[in-house]
Amino acid sequence: MLPRTDQPQRVLAQGILPQKVLHRLVAGERLDEDEAEALFSRIMRGEVEPVELAAILTALRMRGETEAELRGAVRAVRACMTALEDVPEGAIDVCGTGGDGLGTLNVSTAVAFVLAGLGVPVAKHGNRALSSRSGATDVLQMLGIEPEGDAALQSERLRRDGVAFLAAPLHHPAMRHAAGVRKALGFRTVFNLLGPLCNPARVRRQMVGVFDAGWLDTVARTLGALGGTCIWAVHGETDRGGADELTLAGPGRVSAWDEGDLRHFHLEPEMAGFPRRPIAELAGGAPGENAMALRALLDGARGVYRDTVLLNAAVALHVAGRGPIVAQGRVCPAALKENVARAASSLDCGAAAAALKAAAHVAAPVE
């Protein structure tokens, strides 16, 4: 076992060896940004054996990934992605890290349709279920929106329809080298954080739901350091633990990066005009069940799902620059409620449903 040191041993990027990295991680050492980038570059090239990768991801999870390790991993993943060009100014992504284990309905996917209905260009990054029952891509496919990896076509859709759904495996083909291990492990890994930090449209405005409040500052600072203009990393406290989205089950915590400054906000559902409801009322299921719930929402269904989507959409409108909700260093309830009303109008006038219709290539019924 290698001795623990405050400064990690430098390893040439081209010669970094996964087994030696694993020994260092088990010994409690940390990687610097360059070493992490070199390691994850090898992972993206498929040069790390599954058993070694599983051990590395587990060791990182147990010790806790550092900010430098995350930045290095993000740079490696971004260098391999199939990126979109000619993205509309002000495009936004709304996504969650997953990994909270709550099994809720797909909130950020529904928010994407609400925002698109209001004319906000949304480059929605998502994946199939890896550590949950129903991922964004699973639900979208049930709604007739097939995964598409043509970056030029996705750019055109984003400009024309105001929304593009970017399936992670098609824009991050190198991620396939980690997919099997992630699925087998079944718990959240650093890849749950990497996905939301590597949007193929290189959006500069993001609302990222984070499963663990301890990661809020790191996520916001990382995206800010990589060129983000307005970043809100959000976390919801519920009666069953933390959520990677804002909910009606408890207060929300926010780390916001805005033009070079990191600020913190507290957000109660009552500030948006919603009573508290237990997270169990937002429970989802298999992709078909979640897709039916999302379609019903767009068709006018009321309830906890709608109100949760409106709360998150109201915050996302601020991130998109379409409705500021911060005044004197705090979230202003009146402004937040105005954004809730704007979001509700997208549902009530049918604009959000029209965004779904425009995005769907095959009118497949939900069964």
Side-chain angles (χ1 to χ4, degrees):
M1 181 178 293
L2 296 177
R4 290 188 66 167
T5 61
D6 293 332
Q7 296 296 325
Q9 293 181 348
R10 298 291 298 180
V11 181
L12 292 176
Q14 63 269 28
I16 194 165
L17 299 176
Q19 189 176 59
K20 290 186 177 180
V21 169
L22 177 57
H23 290 171
R24 291 177 55 197
L25 294 177
V26 170
E29 293 186 31
R30 301 180 176 190
L31 305 180
D32 66 23
E33 186 172 338
D34 291 338
E35 291 172 328
E37 182 176 2
L39 171 64
F40 277 83
S41 293
R42 293 202 63 168
I43 293 171
M44 294 296 97
R45 293 194 299 267
E47 297 174 358
V48 179
E49 294 295 325
V51 65
E52 291 178 329
L53 178 56
I56 287 170
L57 295 178
T58 301
L60 285 170
R61 165 71 189 273
M62 293 182 67
R63 189 258 282 153
E65 302 89 344
T66 69
E67 196 168 318
E69 289 166 344
L70 183 60
R71 285 197 308 271
V74 168
R75 291 187 185 280
V77 173
R78 287 189 175 191
C80 299
M81 71 184 182
T82 303
L84 278 65
E85 305 296 338
D86 196 18
V87 173
E89 185 68 26
I92 185 176
D93 185 14
V94 284
C95 63
T97 60
D100 61 17
L102 294 176
T104 56
L105 293 167
N106 298 77
V107 173
S108 63
T109 305
V111 169
F113 290 117
V114 172
L115 295 177
L118 293 171
V120 178
V122 183
K124 173 75 176 78
H125 199 200
N127 206 345
R128 295 191 183 279
L130 289 171
S131 56
S132 63
R133 291 185 64 188
S134 181
T137 300
D138 302 303
V139 169
L140 289 167
Q141 199 159 19
M142 295 298 295
L143 292 169
I145 302 173
E146 293 294 328
E148 173 59 66
D150 188 321
L153 182 58
Q154 291 287 47
S155 295
E156 179 184 344
R157 289 174 182 162
L158 185 55
R159 295 191 304 272
R160 182 190 66 215
D161 302 328
V163 61
F165 293 98
L166 312 178
L170 299 182
H171 289 272
H172 296 284
M175 285 275 199
R176 71 186 184 279
H177 298 299
V181 169
R182 292 180 65 193
K183 189 79 172 180
L185 289 177
F187 55 76
R188 80 91 183 148
T189 70
V190 68
F191 279 96
N192 285 93
L193 290 169
L194 289 177
L197 303 183
C198 299
N199 185 287
R202 299 192 184 98
V203 296
R204 299 181 66 192
R205 295 177 179 271
Q206 285 189 250
M207 178 177 168
V208 183
V210 181
F211 62 88
D212 183 342
W215 282 105
L216 289 172
D217 283 2
T218 296
V219 167
R221 279 196 300 260
T222 298
L223 285 171
L226 294 170
T229 299
C230 185
I231 308 296
W232 276 40
V234 305
H235 172 82
E237 297 178 9
T238 83
D239 45 308
R240 287 177 47 204
D244 69 337
E245 59 212 1
L246 300 172
T247 78
L248 307 186
R253 296 174 59 181
V254 179
S255 291
W257 179 276
D258 191 359
E259 300 291 353
D261 291 325
L262 183 67
R263 295 188 288 175
H264 300 95
F265 302 111
H266 182 81
L267 197 154
E268 302 279 353
E270 293 87 351
M271 295 166 65
F274 299 121
R276 297 201 183 194
R277 305 299 303 172
I279 196 65
E281 294 187 21
L282 193 64
E289 298 173 72
N290 284 20
M292 284 192 291
L294 201 160
R295 180 168 285 171
L297 167 72
L298 299 183
D299 287 340
R302 305 273 170 158
V304 171
Y305 187 25
R306 172 188 166 101
D307 292 347
T308 303
V309 169
L310 292 179
L311 173 61
N312 283 270
V315 172
L317 283 170
H318 169 91
V319 177
R322 301 296 184 93
I325 61 173
V326 175
Q328 298 179 338
R330 296 182 179 181
V331 173
C332 173
L336 183 61
K337 289 174 183 175
E338 288 180 7
N339 278 5
V340 167
R342 291 190 186 99
S345 72
S346 179
L347 291 171
D348 296 338
C349 76
L356 167 60
K357 185 176 180 180
H361 299 283
V362 181
V366 176
E367 298 179 357

